[in-house]
Amino acid sequence: MTQTALAGAETSGSDNAPAALTAEAPAKPVRTSRPRPAAKPHGQWKVDGKEPLNANEVWKQEDGGLSVRDRIETIYAKGGFDSIDKTDLHGRFRWWGLYTQRKQGIDGGKTASLEPHELEDKYFMLRVRIDGGSLTTDQLRVIGQISTEFGRDTADLTDRQNVQLHWVRVEDVPEIWNRLEAAGLSTTEACGDVPRVILGSPVAGIAKDEIIDPTSLIKEVSARFIGDPELANLPRKFKTAITGHPSQDVVHEINDFALVGVIHPELGPGYDLWVGGGLSTAPRLAERLGVFVSPEVAAEVWLGVTSIFRDYGYRRMRTKARLKFLLADWGTTKFRQILQDDYLGHKLPDGEPAPKPTSPGDHIGVHEQKDGKFFIGVTPTVGRVSGTKLTALADALEAHGSFRLRTTPHQKLVILDVSKEQVEPLITVLDGLGLSARPSLFRRSTIACTGIEYCKLAIVNTKDTAATAISELETRLADLVDTGVLTQPIALNINGCPNSCARIQTADIGLKGMMLPTDDGGTAPGFQVHLGGGLATDNRVEAGLGRTIRGLKVTAAQLPDYVERVVRKYADVRLSNETFAEFAHRVDEELLK
C-alpha cells in the first residue's frame, strides 16, 4: 500500500470495535465507529507547514548550509579541526563539498558499531563540482596541483562527473577555493540537501549524431540556481542529468530530474522529461511524464520540478526524503498536473520517448567530431587517478593540440578536439599514463565507489578489490575474448556498502559490500550479488533492476573465481544474441551460483 493509501486508511476508515452490551439488547453486540488517529505529517511544506520534524530540518532552518563558508574562512581555517562546531562539521560543511573522511585502520566490521566521531578522521574529502563534466586543460592542471599540494596526490573520478580529493585540512580550504574559483571551478553544493552536480553528455556540442546540444541549458541552470538560497534547503539531495545524444549517456533513469534528447515530429529537437529515479537501499527507476520540453522552457521546467520537491517532498523521515517516494505516491499524472498548473502556468505538449540507443554511452575509443577532428574516450582503472597524473594529462593534451576534455558518468575521460594525425601519438602517451583508449572488456566495464579506504559508511575495500578482479579476469577469460565468444563488456559494479554509489542494482554483476561469516567463526569482507541489472543501452531497450539470489554472497577473495564461473556459464548456455542480463534473468538460480 502506498503512503497516500495508508494516510487515507488511517483517517477515513473505522475499526469496527464492539460497543458495550446494553440491557435492552443483550444478545446482539452493537458496533460503533471511532476515528483513527490522524496520520503523522510527512513534513511537506505546502501541506504540513514548515515546522521542523527532525534535527536535520531544525538546523537547516536555523542557519542554512551556504552560511558556513564565512565561518570556514574566518574561524575554522584559523582554529583548525578542533574549533569546528559539530553541526557545521556533520551538516553544513557538505553544502561546500566537504565530508570528513574515514580514520585509517578501522576495519569494516566496526562500521556499524562505532559512533560517527569514532570513525572520522581530522581530514576531509573535497568534491570538485564539474557541471556537464566540462574541463579545460588549465582547470585540470589546477585540480592536479591542488591534489599534489594539499591532498597527498589523491584524486578519483566519480560516476557523477566530479573529481574527489582526500586528506584535505580545513586550514587549506580557503586557498583551495581561491585557486578553484580563479579557474572557473567550485565546490558549491557539491554535497548536501541541494541540487547536486548536473550530469551532462560528455560529447555535448561535438558529436556528429547529436540531437540537441544541452551545453547552454546546463550553464543556465548552474548559473541561475546553484547557490540560490531559495533552493538550498531541499528535503534531501536532488540529482539532475541532461543529454542530447542518442546514446542516452547520462544514466537518466536513476536521477531525480532528467532530460533526454528527442525530435518532436512537429516541434523539432527538444527533450523527454523523466523524474523520480534513485537507487540506494530502496531503488526506483525514474518515470517519463510523457511531455515534450522545448529548449526555451527547459530551465523553467527544471525549476518547477525542483520546487515541487522542495515544497512537497517528505521531510519527516530522511529515509523517505527523496523525490522517488513522492512520485510513487502521486503518480505521473498528478505530478504533471501540479507541475503545469502550479509551477509553470501552462501545459507542456505531449511527447514520445527517445528511440533505443544505437551506440554505447561510455564513448570509449576514437570517434570523429562534427568538425572533422576526433574525440578519444579513455578509461583509468575504476576512476582512480592522482594529482600528478592529472597534471601530466593536461601537459600531454596541450602538447598534442587539445585543450578540452570531459569527465563522464562512468568514471572515464573524453579528450576533445584531437587532429587526425595526433590521435595515435596521443593514445600512446595516454597509455603510459594508465588511460586506455582500447581497454579490455573488464577494465572498460568495471566501476567502484570510494570504499573503506576513505568512506565512513563503507564495509569493504572497493578500488583495490576491483583492480585485482580486472587483472585476474583479463587473464582467466582471455580465451573467451580471443575466440570471439565474449565481445560485449559485462558491467561489474562494486560498492562498499548498501547505498549504491556505484549503482549495483543497474549492473550486469552488482556487488554490495558486507561482512561475511568465515568457517573459523570470524568474518571477512565480501559482497551480496545482484545480477542482470542495467540502464538503456545499445543492447538493452529498457532499464531494469538486478536479480538477487538468496544466499548468493562471495568474499572479496573469491570474487574473481565467482565472476569467471558465472561468465563461463553464460558463454556455455546463452541463447543466440542473448545478453548477460537476459541470461541472468532467464536461467535457474543454481546456474548463477
Side-chain angles (χ1 to χ4, degrees):
M1 186 179 290
T2 66
Q3 289 174 311
T4 300
L6 284 168
E10 290 171 358
T11 58
S12 63
S14 68
D15 65 356
N16 297 320
L21 296 181
T22 67
E24 293 78 13
K28 187 176 181 180
V30 177
R31 294 182 181 273
T32 185
S33 63
R34 60 179 174 82
R36 293 190 178 191
K40 288 184 179 180
H42 288 308
Q44 297 170 282
W45 281 0
K46 285 272 190 176
V47 176
D48 307 310
K50 293 188 177 182
E51 180 182 353
L53 298 178
N54 62 52
N56 281 280
E57 292 299 314
V58 169
W59 66 252
K60 287 196 292 179
Q61 284 199 30
E62 288 176 346
D63 187 14
L66 294 175
S67 68
V68 80
R69 174 159 179 164
D70 180 68
R71 292 193 289 279
I72 292 173
E73 293 178 319
T74 61
I75 300 173
Y76 304 143
K78 296 176 181 179
F81 186 90
D82 292 334
S83 71
I84 303 172
D85 171 82
K86 298 307 179 187
T87 303
D88 283 348
L89 179 66
H90 299 126
R92 299 183 185 97
F93 267 48
R94 299 179 183 185
W95 270 242
W96 293 96
L98 291 159
Y99 282 98
T100 51
Q101 70 183 37
R102 187 186 189 93
K103 189 178 295 182
Q104 301 296 292
I106 300 177
D107 68 54
K110 296 181 179 178
T111 297
S113 62
L114 295 179
E115 295 296 322
H117 70 274
E118 296 176 294
L119 286 166
E120 71 186 6
D121 211 337
K122 294 185 178 183
Y123 297 93
F124 292 90
M125 179 275 288
L126 178 68
R127 184 175 293 161
V128 182
R129 180 184 183 121
I130 308 172
D131 289 307
S134 181
L135 286 171
T136 65
T137 49
D138 284 341
Q139 291 173 326
L140 183 67
R141 187 177 289 107
V142 168
I143 296 172
Q145 291 170 345
I146 289 172
S147 167
T148 54
E149 189 169 343
F150 301 110
R152 300 191 187 180
D153 206 27
T154 59
D156 287 332
L157 306 176
T158 77
D159 59 10
R160 291 200 62 81
Q161 293 183 282
N162 295 312
V163 176
Q164 287 183 182
L165 311 179
H166 297 280
W167 298 108
V168 172
R169 304 186 313 145
V170 70
E171 293 90 335
D172 298 323
V173 169
E175 176 61 19
I176 292 172
W177 280 338
N178 288 339
R179 296 191 192 186
L180 289 172
E181 289 165 5
L185 297 167
S186 82
T187 69
T188 308
E189 296 184 344
C191 312
D193 298 348
V194 292
R196 300 286 185 90
V197 66
I198 303 167
L199 296 187
S201 171
V203 294
I206 63 164
K208 295 173 70 174
D209 54 349
E210 186 173 51
I211 297 167
I212 185 171
D213 181 0
T215 301
S216 61
L217 173 58
I218 293 172
K219 288 181 178 179
E220 179 183 0
V221 171
S222 180
R224 288 179 60 187
F225 304 123
I226 304 308
D228 180 355
E230 292 297 313
L231 298 173
N233 180 2
L234 302 179
R236 279 194 73 184
K237 58 189 172 186
F238 184 81
K239 296 183 176 182
T240 299
I242 305 174
T243 183
H245 195 263
S247 66
Q248 301 176 20
D249 50 5
V250 293
V251 296
H252 62 278
E253 304 100 326
I254 55 173
N255 281 264
D256 297 281
F257 174 98
L259 294 175
V260 178
V262 293
I263 298 178
H264 191 282
E266 299 172 358
L267 302 174
Y271 300 99
D272 184 30
L273 173 60
W274 296 64
V275 297
L279 295 179
S280 191
T281 55
R284 191 177 196 279
L285 296 173
E287 295 186 58
R288 299 181 57 247
L289 286 196
V291 299
F292 174 80
V293 178
S294 68
E296 294 77 18
V297 303
E300 297 306 320
V301 171
W302 182 91
L303 176 60
V305 174
T306 310
S307 299
I308 287 176
F309 181 47
R310 177 195 63 199
D311 297 341
Y312 288 100
Y314 301 150
R315 293 175 181 262
R316 179 171 66 88
M317 297 173 59
R318 286 185 68 80
T319 54
K320 299 289 185 182
R322 291 293 301 277
L323 184 63
K324 61 187 176 182
F325 295 103
L326 179 66
L327 181 69
D329 287 352
W330 277 11
T332 55
T333 300
K334 179 178 178 178
F335 197 103
R336 176 178 177 177
Q337 195 67 45
I338 289 178
L339 173 64
Q340 294 176 151
D341 293 351
D342 298 350
Y343 289 86
L344 298 179
H346 61 85
K347 291 185 177 180
L348 295 169
D350 290 340
E352 295 298 317
K356 174 179 174 288
T358 57
S359 60
D362 62 5
H363 303 296
I364 293 299
V366 180
H367 309 268
E368 189 173 6
Q369 299 178 179
K370 62 185 179 182
D371 64 359
K373 292 185 177 180
F374 292 83
F375 66 86
I376 307 172
V378 298
T379 178
T381 300
V382 292
R384 175 56 52 87
V385 284
S386 67
T388 300
K389 185 172 292 188
L390 295 180
T391 302
L393 176 61
D395 294 342
L397 298 190
E398 291 176 355
H400 292 80
S402 171
F403 297 87
R404 294 193 298 161
L405 69 157
R406 307 269 170 83
T407 55
T408 85
H410 304 281
Q411 298 181 338
K412 310 293 190 290
L413 291 168
V414 176
I415 314 304
L416 310 186
D417 307 328
V418 182
S419 63
K420 185 175 182 179
E421 61 272 15
Q422 291 291 347
V423 167
E424 290 303 326
L426 179 55
I427 286 176
T428 299
V429 174
L430 294 173
D431 279 336
L433 293 174
L435 302 170
S436 177
R438 301 179 179 106
S440 71
L441 296 180
F442 309 103
R443 181 173 174 185
R444 176 174 180 170
S445 59
T446 302
I447 67 172
C449 72
T450 301
I452 199 172
E453 189 174 6
Y454 299 117
C455 179
K456 301 191 298 291
L457 300 177
I459 302 167
V460 303
N461 182 300
T462 54
K463 297 288 190 183
D464 293 335
T465 300
T468 298
I470 291 168
S471 179
E472 287 282 328
L473 295 170
E474 285 173 338
T475 300
R476 296 186 185 198
L477 296 174
D479 59 312
L480 298 184
V481 176
D482 292 344
T483 57
V485 173
L486 193 62
T487 59
Q488 295 295 320
I490 295 175
L492 182 66
N493 292 15
I494 302 178
N495 211 78
C497 77
N499 287 323
S500 202
C501 295
R503 310 196 292 254
I504 53 176
Q505 299 98 335
T506 58
D508 289 309
I509 303 174
L511 301 159
K512 179 176 73 176
M514 60 195 314
M515 297 302 292
L516 299 177
T518 57
D519 293 339
D520 61 3
T523 59
F527 304 95
Q528 182 185 57
V529 181
H530 299 251
L531 294 167
L535 303 177
T537 63
D538 55 321
N539 60 13
R540 184 175 185 133
V541 177
E542 293 183 348
L545 300 177
R547 173 186 184 185
T548 56
I549 309 297
R550 182 179 295 275
L552 181 49
K553 300 176 176 68
V554 298
T555 66
Q558 295 167 340
L559 181 59
D561 292 339
Y562 172 73
V563 176
E564 179 187 8
R565 184 165 68 249
V566 75
V567 170
R568 288 195 180 278
K569 288 178 181 178
Y570 161 63
D572 288 342
V573 306
R574 67 179 176 183
L575 304 178
S576 177
N577 298 319
E578 186 176 43
T579 66
F580 182 88
E582 291 167 338
F583 154 82
H585 281 283
R586 174 181 62 84
V587 301
D588 185 78
E589 290 185 1
E590 291 305 313
L591 273 178
L592 301 173
K593 292 183 178 180

